[in-house]
Amino acid sequence: MASAQEIIEKDIPATLQQKPELAKDINSVIHFNITGDNGGTWTLDCTKTDGWVTKGAEGTPKMTVTVSNDDFVKIRSKQLNAQMAAMQGKLKFKPMDMGLAMKLAKLLG
């Protein structure tokens, strides 16, 4: 099973290379705060044309996404519905920017 790190460092950049319009759509800095085993912090910077993902928190995020490694993997593999996870408090967006969260969902879906 993939880890959040693999999804963030490999899958997301691969998706953005295939669909650069997603980066243009998001066009902001997002921090991923992954908790639990294999957790960590990553920065997704969609204001750039490449090198979107870096380890650690860089720059001023428009949104910080906090979720456990296990739940992130489940959301990615569609075993857990992102909206349900958000309602149950397993997936947190700070600040809660629904528009940006929906754009992010397209990237992760």
Side-chain angles (χ1 to χ4, degrees), residues 14-63:
T15 302
L16 289 171
Q17 271 179 321
Q18 290 162 353
K19 299 178 180 172
E21 68 276 7
L22 286 175
K24 285 196 187 87
D25 209 21
I26 294 169
N27 192 29
S28 39
V29 175
I30 295 169
H31 287 172
F32 284 95
N33 180 18
I34 307 294
T35 61
D37 292 342
N38 303 315
T41 308
W42 285 269
T43 300
L44 170 65
D45 186 348
C46 286
T47 65
K48 301 197 284 194
T49 48
D50 61 8
W52 299 282
V53 175
T54 44
K55 200 152 174 38
E58 298 202 5
T60 306
K62 191 164 183 197
M63 180 188 276

Side-chain angles (χ1 to χ4, degrees), residues 49-102:
T49 48
D50 61 8
W52 299 282
V53 175
T54 44
K55 200 152 174 38
E58 298 202 5
T60 306
K62 191 164 183 197
M63 180 188 276
T64 300
V65 178
T66 304
V67 63
S68 76
N69 177 73
D70 292 353
D71 286 336
F72 189 72
V73 171
K74 284 180 188 161
I75 290 166
R76 173 74 183 175
S77 61
K78 299 194 176 11
Q79 291 173 289
L80 177 62
N81 177 290
Q83 282 176 310
M84 284 304 295
M87 285 193 279
Q88 292 165 347
K90 292 177 178 179
L91 178 61
K92 298 185 183 86
F93 300 103
K94 196 175 166 193
M96 179 29 104
D97 177 333
M98 211 53 218
L100 188 55
M102 296 306 284

